[in-house]
Amino acid sequence: MTTIQDWPGRVSYWKVGVPPSGPMDDLSFRLANLAVGNPVAAAGLEATMMGPRLRFGAATTVAVTGAPVPVSIDGRSVPQWVPLRVPAGGVLDVGAVGSLGLRVYVAVAGGVEAENYLGSRSTFTMGRFGGLDGRVLADGDALARAAMPTGSPTRILTEEQPALTNAWQLGVTVGPHSAPEFFTPDDIDTLMGTDYEVHFNSDRTGIRLIGPKPQWARTDGGEAGLHPSNIHDNAYSVGALDFTGDTPILLGPDGPSLGGFVCPVTVAAAERWKLGQLKPGDTVRFVAVKATQTASPAELGLARRACFVDVLSRAGDADAGILGRTTTADGTTTVTYRRSGDDNILVEYGDMRLDLALRARVHALAERIGAEKPAGLIDLTPGIRSLQVKADPTTWSQQAMRDWLIECESQLPAASELVVPSRTVHLPLSWDDPATREAIERYMLGVRSDAPWCPWNIEFIRRMNGLDSVDDVHRIVFDADYLVLGLGDVYLGAPVAVPLDPRHRLVTTKYNPARTWTPENAVGIGGAYLCIYGMEGPGGYQFVGRTTQVWNHRYPQQAPGFEPEHPWLLRFFDRIKWYPVSAEELLDMRADVAAGRGDSVRISDGTFSLAEHERFLAENARDIASSREEMERARAEERERWSLAGEFTTGAAGGDVDKSSSDTGDEPKGKVA
């Protein structure tokens, strides 16, 4: 598991589901570059558990940092954290980690040459891009040195080296989702007072923890799903503690950008290096810190405080993660500003409900911020009723950013004025596809066999919505116009979409715990939302079928339906319409797209007007209300069946957590969608 990474990784694509990747322990990585005289952003190697054995064709200066490992040059033992000279033809051998830490870093003077994909050389193995062919390195691979200018090599002093342990403390800021809205005060006390254990099913997407099940302040997530951890999808921060059902997962640099689970605390930016060194069996204690008193992530020396095992903190912020509340200029909608780490603010509109007017406000705010492009702005990631604004904490204080966002919001026009381009994208759908059936079977064998949604997700959707037959589920899905509200719900341009007609809004819950495997381009429903999985990985939406690719893996080469400027197919406010195909036809279509040919995607231009949509809702209000009441009654009955079966009291997810992987996708996004 050795890959090429660079720092800070692939930024500014969070909104379309492209994670930053980069080194999990960014501190050890940057110090390795510093040791050989490289710029800290130079590409180098990250190894997990076992280091590589490298033969150099020319004399080279290298440095090895991170977890303690045996290191030798031509059989002679050499130290870590210092510049080392490898002669031409010499072999650098980096051994296995011992009892402390998990990841090791190798820097080479001048950096490592690699594919520059969307602005970074970092490897994202699940997306199959960056690094060397988007994959881990293998025996026999030949790597070239880059030609980055270098300075003087330097020894990294002991007091500058990060301290490793088996009993970790993580400095966390409160928010975005804390007590009393989502968790009880006792839940937060438990969270801060528990030594969680790192589960063996952990990786770069997320670190699964073993610990007590929350009591929860809510009974369910409403339209977002039946479990109290479910919320309408919003952006995540790297380092967020994501409760995917009852299972806590620390989201890593390969984790999802968007998801529908609550996150009570977020690891401070300068503390996130520790995620890369957490190993199975280690314990983690969360320590609340004030966002204004966290160390700078740009600092590499003593001020980073990384040489201390203990987190130096007297107390955290006592604001439950809420930085402020205002109302929109027309006085109709509440705006909540939530802390999402010390480098993000989550701007959230209105009540916890599905309302396209709220998404319109999110769009207007994103357009306003994007037009100004203030210094230090890194990412704008819209969710269903929220916008996450990521900025460089060394450029902007969080308070200054909040004040500026409040000013921006006060200048926005009424949401009803929104008219945006809205293409209709016709996509094939193989209903109840064999690949999705296989994923359910794997889940039953390897994760949980007694889940209410097994053995057939479509039957579960029927029951959840009070429909007479699965044919009714089929009819509704194919009749619906799905409006794309977010991208990257399960990575790589994966849409989170909702039917424009509320009568088509089938509502389900998400898997708890999440699946460990989902086929690429599976189509599922979670809460009231539909998603197309952008790539193979974990997930938790209830399957209805499978379609063709929504991410161009050939990029920068062309593929039918895709624009030449970027590899994602869909845009915000596109409408998805399904047309039926057989499983065999779909396989042919998928092969055509992969080869850059075919016409399975059909696109026509149009617009979406919020005012027109609201007129449609008003004209059909009585029938819509009647339909929704029937569906809500069926969900209440299903919830009662769950309660009687002990689904909410026996800790189905918590008890079975050891069976599941580190999925943070759909719901990490177990949404690691």
Side-chain angles (χ1 to χ4, degrees):
M1 189 60 191
T2 297
T3 58
I4 298 171
Q5 303 292 343
D6 66 6
W7 174 259
R10 199 165 279 108
V11 297
S12 300
Y13 295 97
W14 206 232
K15 64 184 178 184
V16 292
V18 178
S21 299
M24 278 201 79
D25 176 355
D26 69 277
L27 180 56
S28 294
F29 179 88
R30 287 190 279 169
L31 288 173
N33 271 324
L34 190 63
V36 299
N38 284 344
V40 294
L45 304 183
E46 174 184 89
T48 302
M49 296 182 65
M50 171 78 73
R53 189 168 184 264
L54 305 167
R55 182 182 301 278
F56 288 80
T60 311
T61 299
V62 302
V64 181
T65 63
V69 290
V71 183
S72 65
I73 295 176
D74 292 334
R76 176 176 56 88
S77 180
V78 293
Q80 293 179 255
W81 303 98
V82 300
L84 303 167
R85 192 69 176 166
V86 182
V91 174
L92 173 72
D93 196 344
V94 182
V97 300
S99 60
L100 293 176
L102 190 66
R103 289 180 173 84
V104 183
Y105 296 90
V106 180
V108 177
V112 177
E113 189 55 73
E115 172 193 13
N116 188 325
Y117 188 91
L118 296 178
S120 171
R121 289 173 170 79
S122 287
T123 308
F124 180 44
T125 56
M126 291 195 296
R128 306 195 298 276
F129 52 72
L132 182 64
D133 301 328
R135 60 172 173 80
V136 299
L137 302 183
D139 290 349
D141 283 342
L143 305 179
R145 277 195 297 167
M148 297 190 77
T150 59
S152 299
T154 184
R155 176 186 296 268
I156 306 302
L157 301 178
T158 301
E159 56 267 29
E160 296 172 324
Q161 299 171 21
L164 274 59
T165 179
N166 297 122
W168 294 88
Q169 291 187 10
L170 291 181
V172 296
T173 58
V174 178
H177 310 117
S178 188
E181 292 176 278
F182 305 96
F183 294 82
T184 67
D186 286 346
D187 287 336
I188 300 301
D189 289 344
T190 299
L191 181 67
M192 297 299 179
T194 296
D195 289 329
Y196 289 83
E197 182 182 344
V198 177
H199 191 268
F200 67 87
N201 269 321
S202 298
D203 55 27
R204 287 178 50 91
T205 64
I207 297 161
R208 188 177 290 264
L209 302 177
I210 302 170
K213 174 185 173 182
Q215 300 173 38
W216 298 106
R218 311 181 299 166
T219 57
D220 59 47
E223 285 181 299
L226 282 188
H227 196 276
S229 67
N230 296 163
I231 56 174
H232 296 283
D233 281 32
N234 63 197
Y236 290 132
S237 168
V238 174
L241 182 65
D242 188 26
F243 271 83
T244 63
D246 297 311
T247 303
I249 297 175
L250 285 163
L251 300 183
D254 282 355
S257 62
L258 202 66
F261 291 100
V262 295
C263 303
V265 296
T266 306
V267 179
E271 293 272 296
R272 291 173 196 161
W273 69 267
K274 297 178 180 179
L275 303 184
Q277 299 299 350
L278 295 176
K279 67 189 307 176
D282 284 358
T283 61
V284 172
R285 174 69 68 103
F286 298 107
V287 180
V289 297
K290 290 185 180 295
T292 56
Q293 297 176 2
T294 58
S296 168
E299 174 63 50
L300 297 180
L302 293 177
R304 185 69 173 263
R305 305 197 290 267
C307 60
F308 297 100
V309 171
D310 294 339
V311 173
L312 306 180
S313 173
R314 294 181 180 177
D317 294 291
D319 54 15
I322 296 175
L323 298 170
R325 283 194 172 98
T326 61
T327 56
T328 52
D330 59 10
T332 62
T333 306
T334 301
V335 188
T336 304
Y337 299 85
R338 298 182 182 273
R339 180 188 301 106
S340 187
D342 55 351
D343 53 352
N344 297 282
I345 291 180
L346 188 68
V347 185
E348 191 176 80
Y349 284 93
D351 300 327
M352 191 71 69
R353 60 192 172 89
L354 174 55
D355 183 343
L356 295 186
L358 302 182
R359 181 61 180 87
R361 291 188 180 278
V362 169
H363 180 77
L365 180 60
E367 292 287 292
R368 165 69 179 80
I369 296 170
E372 186 163 336
K373 297 179 181 176
L377 179 67
I378 297 174
D379 268 313
L380 294 172
T381 310
I384 302 303
R385 47 185 284 270
S386 61
L387 178 71
Q388 181 164 281
V389 183
K390 181 177 180 63
D392 182 351
T394 64
T395 302
W396 263 9
S397 73
Q398 206 160 47
Q399 181 172 345
M401 181 164 61
R402 180 204 61 188
D403 293 344
W404 182 73
L405 290 172
I406 291 173
E407 180 183 351
C408 288
E409 163 54 40
S410 70
Q411 300 167 0
L412 298 181
S416 59
E417 298 177 18
L418 177 77
V419 179
V420 295
S422 178
R423 308 177 305 170
T424 298
V425 181
H426 298 266
L427 290 172
L429 181 64
S430 167
W431 184 256
D432 196 19
D433 189 80
T436 63
R437 285 285 193 152
E438 180 185 351
I440 297 171
E441 290 171 5
R442 289 195 193 186
Y443 181 81
M444 293 179 66
L445 288 171
V447 180
R448 186 179 175 200
S449 61
D450 64 341
W453 44 86
C454 294
W456 191 19
N457 291 176
I458 295 173
E459 164 58 24
F460 176 69
I461 295 171
R462 180 206 68 77
R463 193 170 72 238
M464 280 278 293
N465 291 275
L467 302 175
D468 292 334
S469 71
V470 293
D471 289 339
D472 291 327
V473 181
H474 182 281
R475 172 183 53 79
I476 290 172
V477 169
F478 279 95
D479 283 351
D481 280 344
Y482 288 93
L483 188 70
V484 174
L485 303 183
L487 294 170
D489 195 43
V490 268
Y491 298 101
L492 303 192
V496 55
V498 65
L500 281 169
D501 187 337
R503 291 167 292 192
H504 293 152
R505 289 179 190 167
L506 301 169
V507 177
T508 72
T509 194
K510 299 151 190 164
Y511 281 44
N512 178 26
R515 287 184 303 274
T516 59
W517 178 75
T518 303
E520 182 185 64
N521 306 132
V523 179
I525 299 173
Y529 303 105
L530 176 136
C531 177
I532 304 169
Y533 285 76
M535 64 185 197
E536 184 177 296
Y541 282 81
Q542 305 290 337
F543 293 123
V544 294
R546 194 183 191 199
T547 187
T548 52
Q549 293 86 332
V550 293
W551 185 269
N552 177 16
H553 289 290
R554 293 167 48 83
Y555 178 80
Q557 298 179 60
Q558 275 294 97
F562 289 84
E563 297 171 274
E565 297 82 8
H566 52 70
W568 53 93
L569 173 68
L570 298 165
R571 306 172 184 170
F572 298 125
F573 294 99
D574 275 352
R575 307 175 195 219
I576 298 172
K577 283 287 293 182
W578 301 114
Y579 65 90
V581 296
S582 69
E584 292 74 20
E585 288 173 317
L586 181 68
L587 290 177
D588 289 341
M589 289 176 170
R590 290 181 56 78
D592 283 344
V593 174
R597 61 176 184 262
D599 60 353
S600 59
V601 179
R602 307 160 193 169
I603 300 175
S604 56
D605 292 329
T607 59
F608 171 76
S609 163
L610 183 63
E612 288 181 8
H613 176 67
E614 291 180 336
R615 281 194 293 272
F616 168 81
L617 296 180
E619 291 167 1
N620 295 276
R622 181 173 296 180
D623 192 41
I624 289 171
S626 172
S627 235
R628 302 307 295 165
E629 285 171 9
E630 278 295 317
M631 290 181 175
E632 287 166 10
R633 185 160 44 249
R635 285 194 294 278
E637 292 172 358
E638 180 69 17
R639 192 181 191 286
E640 179 62 22
R641 283 192 290 270
W642 284 27
S643 182
L644 292 174
E647 182 73 15
F648 297 115
T649 58
T650 60
D656 289 346
V657 64
D658 289 357
K659 301 178 185 177
S660 183
S661 88
S662 69
D663 166 20
T664 52
D666 264 68
E667 300 105 63
K669 220 200 78 323
K671 251 183 166 172
V672 214

mmCIF file of all heavy atoms in Angstrom, residues 56-61 85-90 145:
data_model
loop_
_atom_site.group_PDB
_atom_site.id
_atom_site.type_symbol
_atom_site.label_atom_id
_atom_site.label_comp_id
_atom_site.label_asym_id
_atom_site.label_seq_id
_atom_site.Cartn_x
_atom_site.Cartn_y
_atom_site.Cartn_z
ATOM 1 N N PHE A 56 17.990 3.063 -6.716
ATOM 2 C CA PHE A 56 18.141 4.370 -7.346
ATOM 3 C C PHE A 56 19.156 4.292 -8.485
ATOM 4 O O PHE A 56 20.267 3.776 -8.315
ATOM 5 C CB PHE A 56 18.599 5.404 -6.305
ATOM 6 C CG PHE A 56 17.512 5.771 -5.339
ATOM 7 C CD1 PHE A 56 17.209 4.950 -4.259
ATOM 8 C CD2 PHE A 56 16.768 6.936 -5.521
ATOM 9 C CE1 PHE A 56 16.192 5.275 -3.377
ATOM 10 C CE2 PHE A 56 15.756 7.268 -4.641
ATOM 11 C CZ PHE A 56 15.469 6.444 -3.566
ATOM 12 N N GLY A 57 18.764 4.841 -9.638
ATOM 13 C CA GLY A 57 19.651 4.810 -10.789
ATOM 14 C C GLY A 57 20.723 5.881 -10.740
ATOM 15 O O GLY A 57 21.719 5.802 -11.466
ATOM 16 N N ALA A 58 20.509 6.913 -9.909
ATOM 17 C CA ALA A 58 21.495 7.982 -9.773
ATOM 18 C C ALA A 58 21.598 8.345 -8.306
ATOM 19 O O ALA A 58 20.656 8.122 -7.528
ATOM 20 C CB ALA A 58 21.085 9.197 -10.603
ATOM 21 N N ALA A 59 22.723 8.932 -7.913
ATOM 22 C CA ALA A 59 22.900 9.349 -6.522
ATOM 23 C C ALA A 59 21.816 10.357 -6.143
ATOM 24 O O ALA A 59 21.533 11.292 -6.902
ATOM 25 C CB ALA A 59 24.282 9.963 -6.338
ATOM 26 N N THR A 60 21.206 10.150 -4.992
ATOM 27 C CA THR A 60 20.015 10.913 -4.609
ATOM 28 C C THR A 60 20.005 11.151 -3.108
ATOM 29 O O THR A 60 20.439 10.299 -2.330
ATOM 30 C CB THR A 60 18.735 10.135 -5.004
ATOM 31 O OG1 THR A 60 18.834 9.706 -6.351
ATOM 32 C CG2 THR A 60 17.502 10.986 -4.844
ATOM 33 N N THR A 61 19.439 12.304 -2.694
ATOM 34 C CA THR A 61 19.201 12.572 -1.281
ATOM 35 C C THR A 61 17.758 12.218 -0.953
ATOM 36 O O THR A 61 16.831 12.617 -1.678
ATOM 37 C CB THR A 61 19.457 14.050 -0.947
ATOM 38 O OG1 THR A 61 20.818 14.358 -1.241
ATOM 39 C CG2 THR A 61 19.196 14.334 0.526
ATOM 40 N N ARG A 85 22.051 10.144 1.879
ATOM 41 C CA ARG A 85 22.562 10.083 0.511
ATOM 42 C C ARG A 85 22.596 8.632 0.046
ATOM 43 O O ARG A 85 23.228 7.776 0.652
ATOM 44 C CB ARG A 85 23.981 10.670 0.457
ATOM 45 C CG ARG A 85 24.488 10.927 -0.948
ATOM 46 C CD ARG A 85 23.732 12.066 -1.604
ATOM 47 N NE ARG A 85 24.296 12.381 -2.936
ATOM 48 C CZ ARG A 85 23.683 13.137 -3.822
ATOM 49 N NH1 ARG A 85 22.498 13.669 -3.542
ATOM 50 N NH2 ARG A 85 24.241 13.392 -4.990
ATOM 51 N N VAL A 86 21.843 8.357 -1.021
ATOM 52 C CA VAL A 86 21.844 7.015 -1.617
ATOM 53 C C VAL A 86 22.728 7.066 -2.867
ATOM 54 O O VAL A 86 22.510 7.896 -3.755
ATOM 55 C CB VAL A 86 20.422 6.561 -2.001
ATOM 56 C CG1 VAL A 86 20.444 5.143 -2.564
ATOM 57 C CG2 VAL A 86 19.486 6.641 -0.806
ATOM 58 N N PRO A 87 23.738 6.198 -2.980
ATOM 59 C CA PRO A 87 24.617 6.245 -4.149
ATOM 60 C C PRO A 87 23.915 5.707 -5.398
ATOM 61 O O PRO A 87 22.875 5.036 -5.311
ATOM 62 C CB PRO A 87 25.775 5.331 -3.750
ATOM 63 C CG PRO A 87 25.169 4.360 -2.789
ATOM 64 C CD PRO A 87 24.135 5.142 -2.020
ATOM 65 N N ALA A 88 24.465 5.994 -6.536
ATOM 66 C CA ALA A 88 23.930 5.425 -7.783
ATOM 67 C C ALA A 88 23.948 3.911 -7.691
ATOM 68 O O ALA A 88 24.963 3.306 -7.315
ATOM 69 C CB ALA A 88 24.770 5.900 -8.959
ATOM 70 N N GLY A 89 22.821 3.284 -7.981
ATOM 71 C CA GLY A 89 22.695 1.839 -7.876
ATOM 72 C C GLY A 89 22.391 1.357 -6.472
ATOM 73 O O GLY A 89 22.176 0.153 -6.261
ATOM 74 N N GLY A 90 22.340 2.279 -5.503
ATOM 75 C CA GLY A 90 22.084 1.905 -4.121
ATOM 76 C C GLY A 90 20.631 1.548 -3.880
ATOM 77 O O GLY A 90 19.732 1.925 -4.631
ATOM 78 N N ARG A 145 12.359 10.945 -11.085
ATOM 79 C CA ARG A 145 12.438 12.108 -10.215
ATOM 80 C C ARG A 145 11.928 13.331 -10.956
ATOM 81 O O ARG A 145 12.186 13.502 -12.151
ATOM 82 C CB ARG A 145 13.888 12.346 -9.770
ATOM 83 C CG ARG A 145 14.303 11.503 -8.583
ATOM 84 C CD ARG A 145 15.582 12.021 -7.965
ATOM 85 N NE ARG A 145 16.713 11.948 -8.915
ATOM 86 C CZ ARG A 145 17.866 12.563 -8.702
ATOM 87 N NH1 ARG A 145 18.053 13.291 -7.635
ATOM 88 N NH2 ARG A 145 18.847 12.439 -9.580
#
